[in-house]
Amino acid sequence: MEKTFIMVKPDGVQRNIVGDVVTRFEKKGFQLVGAKLMHVSEDLAKEHYKEHKEKPFFGELVDFITSSPVFAMVWEGENAVTVARKMLGKTNPAEAEVGTIRGDYGLQVAKNVVHGSDSNESATREISLFFEESELVNYTKLINDWVYEG
Ligand code: IDP
């Protein structure tokens, strides 16, 4: 089973979209492994988005993600990284398919409601940046027998 890091960004928290994002991941069949409401520090923001350090929007991105709380989550399931990215939709909400989270809730790339890891390597890195090992909960859900083949 894969794990992926999903974060409702400040715009999503302010706009009361946390519950819907959680519901979508639950209903899809994924299992919640960790979650918390938190402020992102400037150091964490710069580390999380370090691949964009040279981009013109980097400063704006760091300011935005530190401006108000985020809701950070770890979800587990088969192909969690790829499937979650499909559920999020394209980076620019104006281009994201209706039915995806960004396609349903956003209009501009800088305010695209959610973050999701783009690879297994990113997921591992991002989960360890945002969560202590002790904050991740391992447990068995009997409902998984109804989600996966025996
Ligand atoms: P992703 O979040 O879909 O993986 P990335 O290309 O990794 O997309 O970009 C990270 C975040 O940076 C995006 O989610 C978006 O909020 C923001 N971003 C990307 N391009 C722009 C831009 O041109 N202007 C402002 N913000 C941007």
Side-chain angles (χ1 to χ4, degrees):
M1 288 292 164
E2 281 181 13
K3 288 187 178 67
T4 191
F5 174 68
I6 303 294
M7 171 170 62
V8 182
K9 297 184 184 184
D11 52 334
V13 174
Q14 290 285 346
R15 295 176 56 206
N16 300 321
I17 295 168
V18 170
D20 183 63
V21 173
V22 170
T23 298
R24 287 177 186 232
F25 277 84
E26 282 185 320
K27 287 190 171 169
K28 184 69 178 168
F30 289 126
Q31 179 166 329
L32 188 61
V33 171
K36 59 184 172 184
L37 185 70
M38 60 182 281
H39 280 287
V40 176
S41 69
E42 194 176 324
D43 283 353
L44 177 56
K46 286 180 174 166
E47 183 61 30
H48 174 64
Y49 281 126
K50 70 178 179 188
E51 69 172 293
H52 299 298
K53 207 168 54 191
E54 309 302 332
K55 305 262 174 67
F57 58 85
F58 183 67
E60 181 194 341
L61 190 55
V62 170
D63 286 350
F64 171 62
I65 210 74
T66 58
S67 66
S68 183
V70 302
F71 193 70
M73 294 168 277
V74 178
W75 288 94
E76 184 176 71
E78 196 168 271
N79 297 315
V81 170
T82 306
V83 175
R85 291 282 293 191
K86 278 192 191 161
M87 291 167 66
L88 264 51
K90 288 188 182 160
T91 303
N92 185 346
E95 292 166 10
E97 297 290 334
V98 169
T100 64
I101 296 168
R102 288 164 169 171
D104 285 350
Y105 291 124
L107 286 169
Q108 291 190 341
V109 71
K111 301 269 165 65
N112 63 358
V113 183
V114 275
H115 167 85
S117 308
D118 63 4
S119 66
N120 281 301
E121 293 69 34
S122 300
T124 303
R125 187 179 88 84
E126 292 168 358
I127 290 168
S128 66
L129 274 179
F130 281 80
F131 288 90
E132 302 290 338
E133 192 62 45
S134 61
E135 293 177 304
L136 304 180
V137 184
N138 287 309
Y139 60 110
T140 303
K141 285 180 97 171
L142 297 180
I143 199 173
N144 284 343
D145 288 345
W146 301 98
V147 176
Y148 300 107
E149 292 175 25

